[in-house]
């Protein structure tokens, strides 16, 4: 089998950069903000229960609600297209844009289009694609990838961004966030006002009203859906709720959980193209509903992960994510949610090592606004990875070796003495790579330095005879 | 993929799903709290917490002051009939301020040219269809005479808020809203545009207005 770059390799590489410190700082600040908003006069715990029930109910009846949603969108004057996979989604989107002979496309942040690698596809067809979320814009300038669902450039410092703007936008160097922000506003404004097509994601669709809801804090989501003549909304097929009141619950929970706000600055509800008499707004609305592996996840042991509302809270609390950052996961979705979702979306042909990149500490389950039992799903994915790819071939022989040594006191003593000796020869005493059948241990963790003396030696010296 | 094939694939997956708590009933409608409370102080507190500015003065005074501070001559606004302040636009015109047209030409080139004219728009005036006390949000909606860009393009957004339209929260409003999907666009605006993308340092006005004023009526 052609082995892809593993999580371990990427994680070790990422940890050698200054990124983890930036990520750790940012993730902790996110959590501080979150605490501010969870205790308000919307009863948070009840609202979480409600949000969970809404999401599970929707998934359990997803085909019915998708059908109703499509009818509602069409009733509002919009068009619905169905994409089984990334290739089909990209082709459909190209066709819509091609029809317009337009080539300036603006985008507001959308994880599903990252999944499709839509930007590369459209650029290859000769369109100009401009990301408008400040973080995504920076990612695009840097020719990089987002490292966090909510904060795409969590891994960059203000100095990195200052350098980047200085080089790519030809402005004098500054690392003042206010100034960088003003530069981005000026630079992006003309794209908003003159773009032919705006592409947005969908935080949640509403089956009853055919509305699509996007939330942003910057206002780029609103501008993207208000200024261009054509609005294309790309929606993961599970991002739906039955009623408008349900959507209200979801966006309230989302804002609190993602960034500690009571509501995001702009909760934007689009129900069709502009109506007769509306002075502005898009003439055309196309909603592209994307499966791309989701029905496979839905029919697996990990269905529940599709209840996710993409707040990113599980990333911020995850001790593994905080150490290695989003890029180490090598997938669009990182952190605990990504570790469940990515191998499922990819049919377990890649990212099979991600479910193991967790200590199963349970912080993600505690913090999840819709109470997804992520550790349980990680275990399900581990079982499946082991069954289908068996990354643990070393385990049986390794334990056999251990048993052989443990049964023979002389052999055991020799082994321990040898380990202590080896430990002393190394700088920090940690083993990063063990030989033979024991190497499996160090595939996903380091082996700690052995104690200077064994328990038996200590006992002999301190306790024997007393 | 055809709709019917897509949906039958989803239906099959739903049949095989391993969701907890099946049959997963819908929680039912939330029951809104209808006790009479003066929500205005709550709204003001939440709005100011977000760095919004609240005014209890007549809209003409507030808008004139903002225009003067910014050295602006021109503004974007909704039509008079959708602003809950009689004679406001006429009075602004009398004071020498010019309202830019918000009606887009229907041809693509004309439309872009018109929109590019908003490039340096400084002040936009619109009105709240509703407001939420808990989050300090105002609801702006599209419709005849109600430009979307008037609220989102300018550097300063002045929104007229009738205090009898203040609800406890988004959920409370949604529980009683009459066909919320009937307008092509509704936006719940909660404070000035902001971003924390650069090292989570809060900066305002990245794309939407960096300043928002609520004039209570």
């Amino acid at each position: 089998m052609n082995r892809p770059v593993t999580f371990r390799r990427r994680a070790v590489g990422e940890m050698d950069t200054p990124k983890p410190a930036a990520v750790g700082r940012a993730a902790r600040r996110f959590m501080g903000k979150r605490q501010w908003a969870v205790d308000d006069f919307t009863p948070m715990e009840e609202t979480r229960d409600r949000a969970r029930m809404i999401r599970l109910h929707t998934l359990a009846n997803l085909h019915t609600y998708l059908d109703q949603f499509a009818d509602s969108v069409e009733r509002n004057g919009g068009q619905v297209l169905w994409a089984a996979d990334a290739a089909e989604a990209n082709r459909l989107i190209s066709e819509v844009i091609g029809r317009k002979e337009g080539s300036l496309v603006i985008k507001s942040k959308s994880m599903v289009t990252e999944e499709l690698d839509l930007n590369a596809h459209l650029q290859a067809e000769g369109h100009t694609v401009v990301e408008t979320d400040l973080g995504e814009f920076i990612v695009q300038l840097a020719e990089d990838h987002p490292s966090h669902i909510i904060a795409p450039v969590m891994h960059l410092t203000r100095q990195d961004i200052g350098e980047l703007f200085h080089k790519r936008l030809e402005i004098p160097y500054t690392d003042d966030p206010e100034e960088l922000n003003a530069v981005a506003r000026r630079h992006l404004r003309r794209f908003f006002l003159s773009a032919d097509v705006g592409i947005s994601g969908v935080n949640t669709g509403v089956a009853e009203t055919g509305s699509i809801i996007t939330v942003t804090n910057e206002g780029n989501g609103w501008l993207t859906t208000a200024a261009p003549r054509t609005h294309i909304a790309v929606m993961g097929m599970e991002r739906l709720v039955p009623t408008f009141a349900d959507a209200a619950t979801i966006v309230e929970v989302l804002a609190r959980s993602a960034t500690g706000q009571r509501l995001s600055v702009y909760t934007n509800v689009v129900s069709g193209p502009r109506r007769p008499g509306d002075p502005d707004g898009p003439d055309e609305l196309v909603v592209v509903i994307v499966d791309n592996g989701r029905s496979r996840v839905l029919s697996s042991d990990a269905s529940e992960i599709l209840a996710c509302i993409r707040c990113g809270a599980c990333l911020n609390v995850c001790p593994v994510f905080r150490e290695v950052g989003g890029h180490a996961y090598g997938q669009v979705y990182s952190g605990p949610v990504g570790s469940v979702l990515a191998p499922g979306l990819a049919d377990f042909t890649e990212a099979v090592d991600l479910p193991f990149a967790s200590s199963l500490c349970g912080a993600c389950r505690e913090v999840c606004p819709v109470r997804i039992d992520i550790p349980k799903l990680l275990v399900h994915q581990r079982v499946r990875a082991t069954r289908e790819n068996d990354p643990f071939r070393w385990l049986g022989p390794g334990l056999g070796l251990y048993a052989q040594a443990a049964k023979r006191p002389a052999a055991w003593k020799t082994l321990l003495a040898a380990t202590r000796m080896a430990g002393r020869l190394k700088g920090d005493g940690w083993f990063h790579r063990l030989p033979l059948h024991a190497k499996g241990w160090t595939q996903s963790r380091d082996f700690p330095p052995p104690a200077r003396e064994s328990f038996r030696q200590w006992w002999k010296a301190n306790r024997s005879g007393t | 993929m055809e709709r019917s094939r897509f949906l039958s694939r989803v239906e099959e997956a739903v049949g095989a799903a391993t969701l907890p708590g099946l049959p997963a009933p819908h929680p039912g409608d939330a029951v809104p709290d209808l006790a009479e409370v003066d929500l205005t102080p709550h709204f003001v507190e939440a709005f100011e917490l977000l760095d919004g500015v609240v005014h209890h003065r007549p809209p003409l005074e507030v808008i004139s002051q903002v225009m003067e501070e910014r050295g602006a001559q021109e503004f974007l606004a909704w039509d008079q009939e959708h602003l809950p302040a009689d004679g406001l636009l006429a009075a602004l015109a009398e004071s020498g301020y010019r309202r830019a047209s918000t009606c887009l030409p229907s041809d693509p080139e004309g439309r872009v040219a018109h929109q590019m004219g908003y490039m340096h728009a400084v002040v936009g005036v619109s009105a709240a269809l509703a407001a939420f006390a808990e989050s300090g949000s105002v609801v702006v909606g599209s419709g005849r005479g109600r430009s979307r860009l008037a609220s989102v393009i300018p550097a300063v957004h002045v929104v007229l808020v009738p205090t009898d339209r203040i609800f406890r929260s988004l959920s409370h409003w949604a529980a009683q809203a009459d066909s919320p999907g009937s307008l092509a666009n509704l936006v719940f605006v909660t404070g000035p545009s902001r971003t924390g993308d650069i090292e989570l340092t809060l900066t305002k006005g990245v794309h939407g207005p960096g300043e928002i004023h609520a004039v209570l009526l």
Side-chain angles (χ1 to χ4, degrees):
Chain A
M1 194 176 94
N2 180 17
R3 281 201 80 80
V5 181
T6 60
F7 174 78
R8 180 192 157 82
R9 283 256 297 282
R10 285 188 304 263
V12 170
E14 292 290 312
M15 286 166 78
D16 284 342
T17 69
K19 286 187 211 170
V23 171
R25 265 198 312 275
R28 274 184 289 277
R29 287 198 45 199
F30 252 137
M31 290 319 295
K33 288 182 167 195
R34 190 172 184 276
Q35 275 157 11
W36 172 77
V38 287
D39 268 332
D40 255 351
F41 63 106
T42 291
M44 193 56 194
E45 294 309 308
E46 279 171 60
T47 311
R48 280 172 74 180
D49 290 337
R50 212 182 150 71
R52 175 175 174 79
M53 286 181 82
I54 291 166
R55 291 296 298 138
L56 291 177
H57 170 78
T58 309
L59 293 177
N61 301 277
L62 190 58
H63 54 295
T64 318
Y65 285 122
L66 278 172
D67 201 31
Q68 187 192 3
F69 174 70
D71 283 344
S72 304
V73 170
E74 285 166 6
R75 193 181 57 235
N76 290 336
Q79 188 190 352
V80 180
L81 301 173
W82 308 85
D85 54 25
E88 188 176 17
N90 285 337
R91 184 172 55 73
L92 292 169
I93 294 165
S94 291
E95 282 171 15
V96 174
I97 297 171
R99 259 192 353 247
K100 304 284 110 185
E101 291 173 27
S103 62
L104 178 56
V105 178
I106 53 169
K107 283 184 67 203
S108 68
K109 193 165 129 28
S110 152
M111 294 305 286
V112 67
T113 62
E114 290 286 334
E115 228 179 275
L116 309 177
D117 208 3
L118 177 64
N119 292 8
H121 172 81
L122 294 180
Q123 280 159 353
E125 300 212 321
H127 300 299
T128 304
V129 183
V130 180
E131 290 284 357
T132 59
D133 172 86
L134 179 59
E136 296 280 350
F137 172 67
I138 294 167
V139 164
Q140 195 181 27
L141 276 187
E143 295 170 13
D144 198 351
H145 291 283
S147 63
H148 187 282
I149 298 176
I150 302 294
V153 290
M154 196 183 243
H155 60 290
L156 296 180
T157 63
R158 66 178 71 189
Q159 291 80 11
D160 294 336
I161 297 164
E163 276 297 332
L164 183 69
F165 276 29
H166 171 56
K167 270 196 280 193
R168 301 295 308 273
L169 301 178
E170 294 168 1
I171 56 148
Y173 175 85
T174 169
D175 56 27
D176 175 41
E178 291 274 354
E179 284 179 42
L180 293 169
N181 179 32
V183 169
R185 179 181 173 107
R186 271 199 308 277
H187 183 81
L188 288 169
R189 191 124 292 232
R190 68 192 160 91
F191 293 116
F192 280 122
L193 293 171
S194 64
D196 303 286
V197 178
I199 297 182
S200 75
V202 177
N203 285 94
T204 186
V206 184
E208 177 191 41
T209 59
S211 309
I212 56 170
I213 300 181
T214 58
V215 299
T216 68
N217 281 325
E218 299 178 1
N220 60 310
W222 191 5
L223 279 162
T224 300
T225 63
R229 290 194 316 284
T230 299
H231 171 199
I232 304 174
V234 188
M235 171 175 156
M237 71 174 200
E238 85 286 13
R239 316 214 58 75
L240 198 61
V241 293
T243 70
F244 194 81
D246 293 337
T249 300
I250 296 297
V251 299
E252 283 176 342
V253 169
L254 174 63
R256 284 172 163 79
S257 193
T259 49
Q261 292 164 280
R262 289 161 178 167
L263 277 182
S264 304
V265 178
Y266 301 101
T267 302
N268 178 29
V269 184
V270 172
S271 309
R274 67 163 153 164
R275 304 273 196 274
D278 285 6
D280 49 19
D283 294 327
E284 185 183 31
L285 168 69
V286 181
V287 183
V288 182
I289 301 177
V290 179
D291 184 324
N292 201 33
R294 285 166 172 77
S295 51
R296 199 157 46 213
V297 175
L298 185 55
S299 57
S300 76
D301 277 347
S303 316
E304 191 186 348
I305 201 69
L306 294 178
C308 170
I309 59 172
R310 304 281 190 275
C311 68
C314 63
L315 279 61
N316 302 333
V317 296
C318 178
V320 176
F321 180 90
R322 284 187 187 184
E323 285 302 319
V324 303
H327 286 164
Y329 294 79
Q331 298 289 323
V332 171
Y333 304 103
S334 62
V337 59
S339 298
V340 176
L341 197 55
L345 289 177
D347 194 21
F348 272 80
T349 48
E350 52 181 292
V352 288
D353 55 346
L354 293 190
F356 300 91
S358 162
S359 63
L360 300 181
C361 70
C364 48
R365 179 180 48 208
E366 288 293 308
V367 82
C368 176
V370 289
R371 305 192 199 281
I372 299 174
D373 193 347
I374 299 175
K376 188 183 84 186
L377 301 182
L378 284 167
V379 171
H380 281 319
Q381 300 297 58
R382 288 182 183 190
V383 169
R384 193 165 161 202
T386 310
R387 203 180 285 143
E388 294 179 18
N389 292 278
D390 195 12
F392 292 108
R393 276 181 296 265
W394 59 275
L395 191 60
L399 286 175
L401 194 74
Y402 170 81
Q404 290 301 319
K407 275 190 287 194
R408 295 174 174 77
W412 183 246
K413 261 169 142 172
T414 315
L415 184 67
L416 288 189
T419 316
R420 269 196 307 281
M421 181 80 76
R424 270 199 291 274
L425 293 176
K426 294 171 65 72
D428 58 358
W430 285 83
F431 293 95
H432 304 294
R433 193 158 294 178
L434 287 173
L436 300 172
H437 292 311
K439 77 172 183 218
W441 177 278
T442 48
Q443 268 171 15
S444 56
R445 59 182 84 65
D446 294 332
F447 194 87
R452 295 226 149 247
E453 58 179 352
S454 74
F455 177 71
R456 282 155 178 272
Q457 286 169 335
W458 178 87
W459 184 266
K460 220 178 243 174
N462 291 281
R463 289 290 186 278
S464 65
T466 62
Chain B
M1 188 175 256
E2 259 173 62
R3 173 171 171 170
S4 56
R5 265 187 62 211
F6 189 102
L7 289 177
S8 59
R9 219 165 71 148
V10 175
E11 187 172 1
E12 213 170 286
V14 165
T18 51
L19 294 164
L22 286 172
H26 187 271
D29 293 336
V31 181
D33 180 355
L34 295 173
E36 288 272 341
V37 187
D38 180 10
L39 292 168
T40 308
H42 293 285
F43 172 80
V44 170
E45 192 192 332
F47 193 82
E48 288 179 340
L49 194 65
L50 300 161
D51 287 338
V53 188
V54 176
H55 301 273
H56 301 272
R57 293 178 288 144
L60 176 64
E61 233 179 276
V62 174
I63 297 166
S64 305
Q65 188 196 327
V66 170
M67 298 284 290
E68 205 167 304
E69 278 169 11
R70 295 270 174 161
Q73 289 304 309
E74 203 176 64
F75 62 98
L76 296 174
W78 285 4
D79 286 359
Q80 179 62 61
E81 58 181 305
H82 301 288
L83 295 175
D86 289 339
L88 175 63
L89 294 185
L92 281 167
E94 240 167 70
S95 310
Y97 299 119
R98 200 168 54 250
R99 179 188 172 206
S101 158
T102 53
C103 216
L104 299 179
S106 55
D107 66 296
E109 290 74 28
R111 175 185 176 126
V112 167
H114 186 102
Q115 287 188 165
M116 288 299 278
Y118 298 157
M119 192 81 182
H120 303 290
V122 178
V123 177
V125 180
S126 61
L129 306 180
F132 311 142
E134 181 185 72
S135 52
S137 313
V138 294
V139 182
V140 292
S142 64
R144 196 176 290 275
R146 296 197 296 239
S147 160
R148 306 169 199 213
L149 296 178
S151 303
V152 64
I153 286 281
V156 186
H157 181 197
V158 180
V159 59
L160 313 185
V161 183
T163 50
D164 61 352
R165 298 297 301 157
I166 302 178
F167 294 79
R168 278 180 172 68
S169 69
L170 166 58
S171 278
H172 282 87
W173 175 76
Q176 59 78 58
D178 193 21
S179 56
S182 63
L183 300 181
N185 186 218
L186 276 177
V187 183
F188 315 137
V189 179
T190 309
S193 157
R194 58 188 240 177
T195 184
D197 273 344
I198 300 176
E199 287 190 357
L200 296 197
T201 307
L202 176 69
T203 52
K204 283 182 283 180
V206 61
H207 293 310
E211 226 179 86
I212 183 166
H213 296 257
V215 183
L216 299 186
L217 302 169

